[in-house]
Amino acid sequence: MTQVRVESFAISLDGFGAGPDQSLEHPLGVGGTELHQWLFPTRTFQRMHGAAGADGSTGIDDDFAARGFRNVGAWILGRNMFGPIRGPWPNLDWQGWWGDEPPYHVPVFVLTHHARPPLAMAGGTTFRFVSGGIHEALALAREAAGGQDVRIGGGPATVRQYLREGLIDELHLAIAPVLLGRGEPLLQGIDLRALGYECAGFTPSEKAAHVVLRRSAARGG
């Protein structure tokens, strides 16, 4: 059965999932890279962005990074995860942050208010731009996943929308030991307990506290 998952979503101690003022120079917002110091050295991340035999660290952090890609047949991203452009597309030149071969290798559905033709990239990634909202995007992603899971990649606003609707089955948070002060909050105004989410796992590493939240069908409806 297809599960809807959030994986490797890093937040600060004060609850921010991205820094403020996203730009070409700061894809994760100002200070946002500090949230991911647990991820960057891992073998999984290094291989995603380098040669097949790239070195990298193993252990708890890499285990969580690697599990986030298992059995994933489609992704959903908010538009800010695709790029820093706001409003109508001025042209089709922007093709994402990742170069010619993005690390997804499956269909990716991008939430947007402005239509754009699908974008096929090397390595099996095709970006499809969905202007009908989160439910339409999820229906399309489930179909594209072909029985595998759907991963919600972010950003914080996108995750919040799916959480409020109780559509996320499992949420892995990597709580980084940093304070951002400001930025994009992840859980502000959301009562996870009332929505049926429970802590299903807690595993600390040297660089992050990994928390897995799971939605109980009995409590969540």
Side-chain angles (χ1 to χ4, degrees):
M1 179 179 176
T2 297
Q3 296 282 294
V4 180
R5 297 155 44 197
V6 173
E7 298 282 354
S8 300
F9 200 97
I11 64 172
S12 64
L13 290 173
D14 45 355
F16 296 106
D21 305 322
Q22 184 195 42
S23 65
L24 282 173
E25 294 75 23
H26 301 284
L28 302 175
V30 175
T33 56
E34 296 180 37
L35 303 177
H36 302 274
Q37 296 307 309
W38 68 273
L39 175 64
F40 295 147
T42 64
R43 181 173 58 185
T44 296
F45 184 87
Q46 293 297 317
R47 289 183 176 179
M48 280 171 50
H49 296 276
D55 293 330
S57 63
T58 59
I60 292 171
D61 293 331
D62 184 58
D63 289 345
F64 275 98
R67 74 166 228 163
F69 288 89
R70 295 189 191 117
N71 198 46
V72 172
W75 286 63
I76 296 173
L77 301 180
R79 178 167 168 176
N80 292 358
M81 290 289 291
F82 179 74
I85 300 169
R86 307 293 189 264
W89 303 98
N91 52 55
L92 302 181
D93 292 347
W94 179 263
Q95 298 188 354
W97 303 102
W98 312 275
D100 294 333
E101 185 171 350
Y104 303 104
H105 308 296
V106 295
V108 178
F109 296 87
V110 180
L111 295 164
T112 177
H113 296 296
H114 302 278
R116 175 174 168 161
L119 173 63
M121 306 289 284
T125 299
T126 298
F127 293 104
R128 301 184 185 276
F129 300 86
V130 182
S131 57
I134 64 170
H135 293 280
E136 179 184 0
L138 182 55
L140 292 170
R142 285 185 186 275
E143 181 179 3
Q148 292 184 291
D149 293 343
V150 174
R151 179 169 170 177
I152 311 293
T158 296
V159 174
R160 284 201 304 272
Q161 289 182 71
Y162 280 101
L163 279 174
R164 287 194 184 102
E165 296 294 317
L167 295 172
I168 294 173
D169 298 298
E170 187 171 284
L171 173 69
H172 163 225
L173 299 177
I175 304 172
V178 299
L179 296 170
L180 288 188
R182 60 194 186 100
E184 294 291 329
L186 179 64
L187 300 177
Q188 186 176 49
I190 296 178
D191 188 338
L192 290 177
R193 187 179 181 90
L195 290 170
Y197 291 95
E198 302 173 339
C199 183
F202 174 81
T203 308
S205 73
E206 292 184 1
K207 296 182 178 180
H210 296 278
V211 176
V212 176
L213 304 176
R214 193 167 294 138
R215 186 168 181 264
S216 168
R219 295 183 61 193

